[in-house]
Amino acid sequence: PAGAHPSGRMGEDPKGRPGNLLPLLSQMAIGRVKDSELKVFGNDYPTHDGTCVRDYLHVMDLASGHLLALDALENVNHVAFANLPDRAKYKAYNLGRGKGQSVFDIVNAMKRATGKDFKTRVIGRRLGDVPDLTADPALAEKELGFHASQDLETMCRDLWNWQTKNPEGYSAPTALDATNPSPISATNDSAKVTPAKDDRSVVAGTDTPTITSAPPPSSTSDASMPLPGSLSVEAPTIPTEKPIFDPSTPAHITPIGSPTPLKMTKMNGISTPTNLELGKPAVPEDGAARKELKPEDVFIEQKFASTS
């Protein structure tokens, strides 16, 4: 696939040096790849100009082919699955333009799209390259109604539009970000989330985790804030001895959002809350407002005893 979304907000951003011809040329034109010339692997193939031919397909045409396939899957009587040997719905289709372009065809089209005069140097053939790889989309056209409508000029234009609006790809903010302070980026519609800071900690020298409820949401929109009602927990230091649950140590049970512990009663050596029943109101000792509790609304801090 080649090209980019026509808006210039989504495009190809390979990691490291591009391995495909079109993104390599666009990054050379924008200055990310500093090569002064493009090396062409052979010009003595049996093609119209001696360079290898490949069938380039606009990414939007590729997307439309996938949508057509999904539409076919929803229709049990679709012609695409009429003659399958079993009940499973699977079939392979070639998506392409059915017409290939050579290396020099691509270079010349990118020259027109970018206004850059790419220098080329022909070197020896590359091991494994075949002269011509062109798709036959006849079956997809017949059974799915697929048609690749975008030509090479459109692919190069949309690719260059993406590259000029995103010269460093997705790794750096663009001019659109300056006018969009929201944590949702205007350039790629993806959330930029900063890990939340909290006050969770482990007290030195103890094996007891400190568990805190998430702070209430502020009036400002900030994707770094934890979700309301969530818990942040940090594991305690693992003791060298085997930890056991000590029923003689009182448990401390607190409804999230209320600093007031619930009233505790010892029964058979184990501390249990007398005014807590999940799904029913619990009344703190100080007579504060009643609160409907759910299982996720309660956390327990329990100290561990160690045995050798």
Side-chain angles (χ1 to χ4, degrees):
H5 192 275
S7 68
R9 298 172 73 168
M10 291 184 290
E12 186 174 2
D13 185 22
K15 300 295 184 183
R17 182 185 176 86
N20 293 328
L21 180 57
L22 276 167
L24 176 60
L25 289 170
S26 68
Q27 290 196 17
M28 288 176 64
I30 205 69
R32 286 179 67 180
V33 174
K34 307 300 183 182
D35 295 5
S36 60
E37 61 184 14
L38 176 73
K39 296 177 181 179
V40 179
F41 296 105
N43 65 346
D44 56 350
Y45 289 96
T47 61
H48 65 274
D49 61 13
T51 63
C52 290
V53 168
R54 300 292 182 265
D55 191 347
Y56 291 86
L57 178 67
H58 198 292
V59 67
M60 298 302 292
D61 285 333
L62 177 63
S64 71
H66 282 78
L67 291 176
L68 289 168
L70 291 173
D71 290 341
L73 285 170
E74 290 185 346
N75 184 355
V76 295
N77 298 317
H78 197 282
V79 64
F81 307 108
N83 299 316
L84 290 181
D86 53 45
R87 297 174 61 186
K89 291 184 177 183
Y90 58 89
K91 202 167 189 177
Y93 292 93
N94 287 325
L95 299 181
R97 298 183 66 229
K99 177 183 179 182
Q101 293 86 28
S102 72
V103 173
F104 286 150
D105 289 336
I106 298 296
V107 171
N108 291 329
M110 282 297 287
K111 283 183 179 180
R112 294 188 291 271
T114 65
K116 307 293 183 180
D117 185 18
F118 297 101
K119 305 298 182 183
T120 60
R121 179 165 64 93
V122 178
I123 59 176
R125 289 188 178 190
R126 184 172 55 182
L127 184 65
D129 281 345
V130 297
D132 192 326
L133 284 177
T134 301
D136 180 2
L139 186 62
E141 292 173 352
K142 176 183 178 181
E143 295 187 354
L144 300 179
F146 173 76
H147 175 65
S149 60
Q150 312 291 335
D151 59 14
L152 178 60
E153 302 298 325
T154 304
M155 297 180 215
C156 295
R157 181 196 66 203
D158 289 344
L159 172 60
W160 186 235
N161 181 43
W162 146 258
Q163 194 70 80
T164 53
K165 290 181 177 178
N166 305 270
E168 298 299 323
Y170 292 111
S171 62
T174 68
L176 289 176
D177 286 324
T179 59
N180 180 39
S182 167
I184 305 302
S185 169
T187 59
N188 57 19
D189 294 331
S190 62
K192 297 179 178 177
V193 181
T194 303
K197 295 182 179 180
D198 53 48
D199 60 349
R200 57 187 177 173
S201 61
V202 175
V203 180
T206 72
D207 299 322
T208 305
T210 299
I211 309 177
T212 60
S213 61
S218 65
S219 59
T220 59
S221 175
D222 186 356
S224 67
M225 294 293 289
L227 295 176
S230 63
L231 291 177
S232 56
V233 181
E234 184 163 318
T237 303
I238 304 299
T240 55
E241 299 85 9
K242 181 181 178 182
I244 62 170
F245 186 86
D246 184 4
S248 65
T249 303
H252 182 87
I253 303 180
T254 306
I256 292 177
S258 171
T260 307
L262 300 177
K263 186 176 180 180
M264 306 298 294
T265 301
K266 267 200 173 183
M267 299 177 62
N268 299 325
I270 302 176
S271 296
T272 58
T274 57
N275 58 340
L276 170 63
E277 185 175 351
L278 295 180
K280 294 185 179 181
V283 183
E285 287 182 310
D286 60 359
R290 297 165 72 88
K291 174 180 175 63
E292 289 288 344
L293 292 181
K294 299 177 181 178
E296 62 268 22
D297 291 330
V298 176
F299 64 84
I300 299 176
E301 290 178 343
Q302 172 66 43
K303 290 186 176 180
F304 290 93
S306 298
T307 59
S308 56

